[in-house]
Amino acid sequence: MSFSPALIRQDFPIFERTVREGKKLVYLDSGATSQKPHSVIEAESGFYKFHNAAVHRGAHQLAEEATDAYENARLIVSKFLNAPGGSDEIIFTKNATESLNLLAYSMGNAEGTNRFALKAGDRIVVSEMEHHANLIPWQQLCARTGAELGWFSVTPEGRLDLSAIDSVITADTKVVALTHQSNVLGTIIPLEAIVARAHAVGAVVVLDACQSVPHMPVDVAALEIDFLSFSGHKTLGPTGIGVLWGRKNLLDELPPFLFGGSMIEYVTMTDATWAMTPAKFEAGVPNMAQAVGLGAALNYLSEIGMENVHSHEVALTAYLLEAMREIEGLKLVGPNDTHLRGGAISFMVQDIHPHDLGQYLDSQGVAVRTGHHCAWPLAKALNVPASTRASLYLYNDESDCDALVHAIVGAKKYFGRF
Amino acid sequence: MSFSPALIRQDFPIFERTVREGKKLVYLDSGATSQKPHSVIEAESGFYKFHNAAVHRGAHQLAEEATDAYENARLIVSKFLNAPGGSDEIIFTKNATESLNLLAYSMGNAEGTNRFALKAGDRIVVSEMEHHANLIPWQQLCARTGAELGWFSVTPEGRLDLSAIDSVITADTKVVALTHQSNVLGTIIPLEAIVARAHAVGAVVVLDACQSVPHMPVDVAALEIDFLSFSGHKTLGPTGIGVLWGRKNLLDELPPFLFGGSMIEYVTMTDATWAMTPAKFEAGVPNMAQAVGLGAALNYLSEIGMENVHSHEVALTAYLLEAMREIEGLKLVGPNDTHLRGGAISFMVQDIHPHDLGQYLDSQGVAVRTGHHCAWPLAKALNVPASTRASLYLYNDESDCDALVHAIVGAKKYFGRF
Amino acid sequence: MQLDSLYQEVILDHYKHPQHKGLSSNFAAQVSHVNASCGDEIILNINLEGDLISELTWDGQGCSISQASVSIMTDLLTGKTLDQAAIILKSFSDLMASKGTSAGDELVLEDAIAFAGVSKFPGRIKCSLLGWMAFKDAAIQAQSRK
Amino acid sequence: MQLDSLYQEVILDHYKHPQHKGLSSNFAAQVSHVNASCGDEIILNINLEGDLISELTWDGQGCSISQASVSIMTDLLTGKTLDQAAIILKSFSDLMASKGTSAGDELVLEDAIAFAGVSKFPGRIKCSLLGWMAFKDAAIQAQSRK
Ligand SMILES: Cc1ncc(COP(=O)(O)O)c(C=O)c1O
Ligand SMILES: Cc1ncc(COP(=O)(O)O)c(C=O)c1O
């Protein structure tokens, strides 16, 4: 089957609607959240209609079926990521933000000889291109433990500056937490040297894969990383579901984060001990229907093939970058070729403020995002307080890119009147 | 309109199915999770089909519509609880467990003169009938801060023992966190004296309302409490959504919990400041479709009227308690009348282990829960390591109670063979 | 085109030619407000003579709506008493909350009625209020220092 | 009735008349395992003579499946070598994972094949494995102390 965005779009009910007085919806905001195919929406509502019950608890048929469905979703995720330890390595959270906070808080709960216990003199390394979700939790963990935050800076072209890798990832570094693909620049970071250096000093590597897992094959075993997080809602899945993957032995050593039902082994009024991984990290009745929906989303993507999704997006990115080069006054924020680059394309157009540009694009049916894209330090480092971002996905095609380009030209005319 | 469980059941698609080889589904496990009406399932899928976009972010029509839908859900919740400060007092979490952990972690993040900062000598008060979700987070907060955990004990009849209230809620008490209705005993606790004493010593009152908000009118202003949590999935709503309500001035003073996008005011590489309440407590792309689904659930309940739901359940509880009295060898765990009591009814039958009893009931289509019901310390205090729980909701009627009673008698025969 | 109700000529005019931009060297109060969702920033200086707003100056960056709004606001409020300013602020806030159902009170708001169209664009209401919220804050601070 | 495949007579018999119940006063290792989802608890004592399991005793509380399983297990494994026990344990675990597709190897499992029906009830597999997991743990501990 050849890759056809037009056919794919037929699986997504939202494309049957129009926006702004009958205009075709040109959705270029999948970097914020993706649209959902029928199969995902039906998996979630099917759970409620046919199998709804609390998992791991009730002694009845519905509870058995719900548990099966939920644990099957865990298996699907583990296979999608090629988790070496299987489904025990998959923890369901509410979004990637929670996954990263889970890690930071759990490390903060570590004491004594636990490998995750942090103290003054220890170091956590991030980069200047982090989303706030992979920056502030680590800032706060440093504040609580006395550890120090270090970071890779970003080159003017929007690449990680790895020239001083050994003095950024020092011998005292315990955690290296990086975004796999920048949600602003589209940059995909090269991991080999970073992982090698991190492991050489005994640090764990945490990957914020929010913008990579939805868009390209990600094999955690091959990448040799230690933890990874992504969000269901950016991966064709439901809202309210995220994933934390971690190596089994590391998850076993990591203290728990949220406390409550189903994560315990034994409880008295004054003390408690913990269940095994992954139950240890899933307190309370979980987001069952959403996990099932995420399973359906990953099945949908697997059927199309992540290699195919990625090639499609790279080709489309090349097409759009090429077209943008023709627009006078348009300045890219991020790499201007497709080498190690995904389909998040940020830009500025003359002195039209991104918020105004976005508003005009919206009036033409073109949905983009504007602002600092939750990466304010990056915006400051590049001296681009705000930009406009178009982000591509499997349901976009050249006509969407053409519509964007056409609307940008229109905006220049509209705001140039004065 | 008179209250008709039979008509209500028609709104719930799951009752169209059968279990265990064609048996009618007798669902008596709503204390674990409730079933969902069509309107809730459709609200959630409708969000994906027609309005899906990241809230508070994109500069386009879908983002506006999604934001409207999400904020409208917040308004519905605030009205349902009669929140004095309106929708700013409503925080969406993933479940009640997260709501309670949010409080405990946020208090743990408080420092210096912040009213929530805890130190050795301070006291947190819970009860012996707490669900693990309202116990372990406070145990852990005590361990982190050096504060001491105190608790109300439970009388043999399953009531809170308030006889020593002044020595339990001491002058040093900063937090009193109690379950409004026990998920095991059905006991509803009397709040007036507790709230008066707590406020007299300057403590805040946290109500775990998981088992009350779904089943009776709960007016946070009238109760004069300070914080309240409940879960969407027990309230006819979707999984993956919970609520924390708090007084605006208290939420304003409370430090944030999860860190990331949308909860910030300003961010640099080394530091950050926070957005206003409630954004401060909602990091990342939220569980938007689930919030919208919860709004639909509360609208459904409001239309029926929470007073009506409650009277129905009290009447049904009386009916079931009466019928159970006739079963020889059945021993109730919890109050044996309907005074300050909801429809969670736990019991033991002779020496049939609850797990075996539950299994037999399941074979007859009757879904209950067995075990310690995530309240292990209570199980130990009452010397009932495990029990069987039937929990009633608006879609249950006398025929469900009859089916349960009939199946219990059958179980006695089945296991009495040997 | 609906967009034209947002981008009134007077708004784009103030955006291109902002008034009172450039911070005064002395001030009774200085406040800095940001719109965290888009990164817009405004610093506002206020000077009082008794109850009279004698000077409002500002600096900042942001979209046409936020910049034009603060420009028009400083024009409008300079020379007014604090009580008058409070009435104007209230009128402007009400207009922003009107969801496009109000045209605004031209006697009170003068040029600021150009923002009536903004109230139909929920994503932009925060932009147009940024400067006004800064003013509210600055006025309180300046008064509390008297 | 499907339930009968779960509640085999031999299971209910061991439940009513548990074997090897009552903890020995001395032991090479003692372990305590709980099934957190239902509150079942088992304490297991093991004694070895060389590689031979000379004594298994236990105490605990729980449902018929968990209690009968540990009772039958202690009957079965007493007098076996650790290597033989490992084979039996593996065979029992496989049976539990079979989702009702296997009848169990009677030559290896003897009375324990009565649990074949349990594998069709996912909620009960943990119950039947509770004692066996305790044994696995105890055997490792006892050996490491040698
Ligand atoms: C009294 C009580 N508190 C807290 C909880 C935890 O709720 P959830 O699992 O939805 O977080 C429950 C239900 O499991 C409960 O019954
Ligand atoms: C790179 C990156 N990291 C983290 C996040 C946070 O994801 P979420 O908001 O789903 O938790 C996002 C998206 O918002 C992102 O693009």
Side-chain angles (χ1 to χ4, degrees), chain A residues 306-319:
Chain A
M306 289 308 295
E307 279 296 356
N308 298 328
V309 171
H310 189 54
S311 344
H312 168 68
E313 288 183 30
V314 169
L316 208 55
T317 301
Y319 179 85

Side-chain angles (χ1 to χ4, degrees), chain C residues 115-144:
Chain C
F115 291 88
V118 175
S119 72
K120 277 182 275 183
F121 294 83
R124 307 308 291 274
I125 292 172
K126 263 193 183 172
C127 308
S128 65
L129 284 172
L130 181 62
W132 294 81
M133 290 301 114
F135 165 76
K136 189 176 171 185
D137 196 5
I140 291 170
Q141 290 192 23
Q143 277 177 290
S144 72

Side-chain angles (χ1 to χ4, degrees), chain A residues 72-272:
Chain A
N72 185 46
R74 203 191 297 280
L75 189 66
I76 293 170
V77 178
S78 76
K79 288 187 176 158
F80 194 80
L81 298 176
N82 192 28
S87 61
D88 280 356
E89 296 188 332
I90 303 302
I91 294 157
F92 286 121
T93 61
K94 68 174 176 179
N95 56 21
T97 301
E98 188 197 338
S99 302
L100 294 162
N101 277 274
L102 183 165
L103 269 182
Y105 270 111
S106 290
M107 289 181 187
N109 287 340
E111 287 177 332
T113 59
N114 187 299
R115 72 171 285 160
F116 296 108
L118 290 164
K119 54 179 191 317
D122 288 339
R123 191 175 164 93
I124 295 173
V125 169
V126 296
S127 88
E128 248 175 15
M129 61 166 86
E130 297 315 314
H131 188 281
H132 295 157
N134 196 34
L135 172 62
I136 312 179
W138 305 115
Q139 288 179 353
Q140 293 289 319
L141 178 60
C142 286
R144 278 199 298 277
T145 58
E148 168 196 64
L149 192 73
W151 58 85
F152 289 106
S153 52
V154 172
T155 68
E157 298 74 43
R159 300 281 178 191
L160 270 201
D161 180 356
L162 295 177
S163 60
I165 184 167
D166 289 358
S167 61
V168 175
I169 303 181
T170 60
D172 298 321
T173 301
K174 295 290 181 295
V175 180
V176 176
L178 296 168
T179 183
H180 198 189
Q181 175 177 322
S182 162
N183 65 315
V184 182
L185 308 165
T187 312
I188 296 167
I189 66 167
L191 276 167
E192 227 171 288
I194 295 168
V195 171
R197 171 67 185 165
H199 285 170
V201 302
V204 293
V205 177
V206 178
L207 206 61
D208 172 0
C210 272
Q211 300 288 344
S212 58
V213 162
H215 300 288
M216 62 195 197
V218 173
D219 177 328
V220 294
L223 291 175
E224 295 184 16
I225 55 175
D226 303 295
F227 295 99
L228 172 144
S229 79
F230 73 96
S231 275
H233 70 89
K234 295 188 204 274
T235 318
L236 307 186
T239 62
I241 183 90
V243 168
L244 176 67
W245 164 82
R247 292 190 181 276
K248 179 74 163 60
N249 64 319
L250 296 177
L251 290 175
D252 286 345
E253 185 157 0
L254 196 67
F257 166 46
L258 298 177
F259 304 95
S262 299
M263 56 73 70
I264 55 98
E265 183 196 42
Y266 207 82
V267 183
T268 68
M269 279 312 289
T270 52
D271 216 348

Side-chain angles (χ1 to χ4, degrees), chain A residues 13-14 17 19-20 25 27 29 32-36 41 44-45 48-54 57-62 64-65 92-95 97-98 101 105 109 126-128 131-133 135-137 139-140 144 149 151 233 238-240 257-262 264-272 274 283-290 355 358 362 367-370 374 376-377 380, chain B residues 13-14 17 19-20 25 27 29 32-36 41 44-45 48-54 57-62 64-65 92-95 97-98 101 105 109 126-128 131-133 135-137 139-140 144 149 151 233 238-240 257-262 264-272 274 283-290 355 358 362 367-370 374 376-377 380:
Chain A
I14 204 158
R17 69 164 279 176
V19 291
R20 296 297 177 214
L25 170 61
Y27 190 73
D29 198 18
T33 200
S34 71
Q35 297 303 337
K36 326 294 179 200
I41 300 171
E44 202 176 343
S45 52
Y48 297 130
K49 285 181 190 165
F50 305 119
H51 313 294
N52 179 64
R57 295 187 172 197
H60 51 81
Q61 186 180 351
L62 290 182
E64 280 175 12
E65 292 176 7
F92 286 121
T93 61
K94 68 174 176 179
N95 56 21
T97 301
E98 188 197 338
N101 277 274
Y105 270 111
N109 287 340
V126 296
S127 88
E128 248 175 15
H131 188 281
H132 295 157
L135 172 62
I136 312 179
Q139 288 179 353
Q140 293 289 319
R144 278 199 298 277
L149 192 73
W151 58 85
H233 70 89
T239 62
F257 166 46
L258 298 177
F259 304 95
S262 299
I264 55 98
E265 183 196 42
Y266 207 82
V267 183
T268 68
M269 279 312 289
T270 52
D271 216 348
W274 318 129
V285 173
N287 34 13
M288 305 174 290
Q290 292 72 43
H355 216 161
D362 171 53
V368 296
R369 194 172 160 200
T370 66
C374 296
W376 214 335
K380 279 174 219 155
Chain B
I14 204 156
R17 70 164 278 177
V19 290
R20 297 294 177 216
L25 169 62
Y27 189 74
D29 197 18
T33 200
S34 70
Q35 297 304 337
K36 327 296 178 197
I41 300 171
E44 201 176 342
S45 53
Y48 297 130
K49 285 182 190 165
F50 304 119
H51 314 293
N52 178 65
R57 295 188 172 194
H60 51 82
Q61 187 180 348
L62 290 183
E64 280 176 12
E65 292 175 8
F92 287 122
T93 60
K94 69 175 176 180
N95 55 21
T97 301
E98 188 197 340
N101 277 275
Y105 270 111
N109 288 339
V126 296
S127 87
E128 248 174 14
H131 187 281
H132 296 156
L135 171 62
I136 312 179
Q139 288 178 352
Q140 293 289 318
R144 279 198 298 277
L149 192 73
W151 58 86
H233 69 90
T239 62
F257 166 46
L258 298 177
F259 304 96
S262 298
I264 57 97
E265 183 197 43
Y266 207 82
V267 184
T268 67
M269 279 311 290
T270 52
D271 217 348
W274 318 128
V285 172
N287 33 12
M288 305 174 291
Q290 292 72 42
H355 217 161
D362 171 54
V368 296
R369 194 173 160 199
T370 66
C374 295
W376 214 334
K380 279 173 222 157

Side-chain angles (χ1 to χ4, degrees), chain A residues 353 355-356 359 372 414-415 418, chain C residues 4 7 12 36 62 64 124:
Chain A
H353 190 278
H355 216 161
D356 295 320
Q359 195 79 54
H372 52 62
Y414 185 80
F415 292 109
F418 303 89
Chain C
D4 294 339
Y7 292 112
L12 290 174
S64 60
R124 307 308 291 274

Side-chain angles (χ1 to χ4, degrees), chain B residues 54-391:
Chain B
V55 293
H56 305 142
R57 295 188 172 194
H60 51 82
Q61 187 180 348
L62 290 183
E64 280 176 12
E65 292 175 8
T67 305
D68 262 6
Y70 182 66
E71 292 304 324
N72 185 47
R74 204 190 296 280
L75 190 65
I76 292 170
V77 178
S78 76
K79 288 186 174 156
F80 193 81
L81 298 176
N82 193 28
S87 61
D88 281 356
E89 296 188 333
I90 304 301
I91 294 157
F92 287 122
T93 60
K94 69 175 176 180
N95 55 21
T97 301
E98 188 197 340
S99 302
L100 294 163
N101 277 275
L102 184 163
L103 270 182
Y105 270 111
S106 290
M107 289 182 188
N109 288 339
E111 288 177 331
T113 59
N114 187 298
R115 72 170 286 162
F116 295 108
L118 289 164
K119 54 178 191 319
D122 289 339
R123 190 174 165 93
I124 295 174
V125 169
V126 296
S127 87
E128 248 174 14
M129 63 167 83
E130 296 315 314
H131 187 281
H132 296 156
N134 197 34
L135 171 62
I136 312 179
W138 304 115
Q139 288 178 352
Q140 293 289 318
L141 179 60
C142 286
R144 279 198 298 277
T145 58
E148 168 196 64
L149 192 73
W151 58 86
F152 289 105
S153 52
V154 172
T155 69
E157 297 73 42
R159 301 279 178 192
L160 269 200
D161 179 357
L162 295 177
S163 59
I165 184 167
D166 289 359
S167 61
V168 174
I169 303 180
T170 60
D172 297 322
T173 301
K174 295 289 181 295
V175 180
V176 177
L178 295 169
T179 184
H180 198 188
Q181 175 178 321
S182 162
N183 64 316
V184 182
L185 308 165
T187 312
I188 297 168
I189 66 167
L191 277 166
E192 227 171 288
I194 295 168
V195 171
R197 172 65 185 167
H199 285 170
V201 301
V204 293
V205 177
V206 179
L207 206 60
D208 172 359
C210 272
Q211 299 288 345
S212 57
V213 162
H215 300 288
M216 62 194 198
V218 173
D219 177 327
V220 294
L223 291 176
E224 295 184 17
I225 55 175
D226 302 295
F227 294 99
L228 172 145
S229 80
F230 74 96
S231 275
H233 69 90
K234 293 187 205 273
T235 319
L236 307 187
T239 62
I241 184 90
V243 167
L244 175 68
W245 164 82
R247 292 191 181 274
K248 178 75 162 61
N249 63 320
L250 296 177
L251 290 174
D252 286 346
E253 185 158 0
L254 196 67
F257 166 46
L258 298 177
F259 304 96
S262 298
M263 55 73 70
I264 57 97
E265 183 197 43
Y266 207 82
V267 184
T268 67
M269 279 311 290
T270 52
D271 217 348
T273 57
W274 318 128
M276 311 259 276
T277 309
K280 179 170 75 168
F281 295 102
E282 293 181 0
V285 172
N287 33 12
M288 305 174 291
Q290 292 72 42
V292 170
L294 176 59
L298 300 187
N299 281 345
Y300 181 91
L301 285 169
S302 296
E303 220 156 282
I304 291 173
M306 288 309 295
E307 280 295 356
N308 299 328
V309 170
H310 189 53
S311 339
H312 169 68
E313 289 183 29
V314 170
L316 208 55
T317 301
Y319 180 85
L320 183 53
L321 289 175
E322 176 70 34
M324 282 181 158
R325 233 167 265 138
E326 306 296 312
I327 303 178
E328 213 195 288
L330 185 146
K331 215 177 130 273
L332 272 187
V333 184
N336 60 13
D337 59 32
T338 57
H339 170 69
L340 279 181
R341 186 199 209 297
I345 302 176
S346 295
F347 57 93
M348 322 254 284
V349 178
Q350 296 172 337
D351 59 351
I352 306 176
H353 190 278
H355 217 161
D356 295 319
L357 179 60
Q359 194 80 53
Y360 182 88
L361 300 183
D362 171 54
S363 76
Q364 306 302 307
V366 180
V368 296
R369 194 173 160 199
T370 66
H372 53 60
H373 313 300
C374 295
W376 214 334
L378 176 66
K380 279 173 222 157
L382 297 174
N383 200 20
V384 180
S387 62
T388 303
R389 180 188 73 187
S391 49

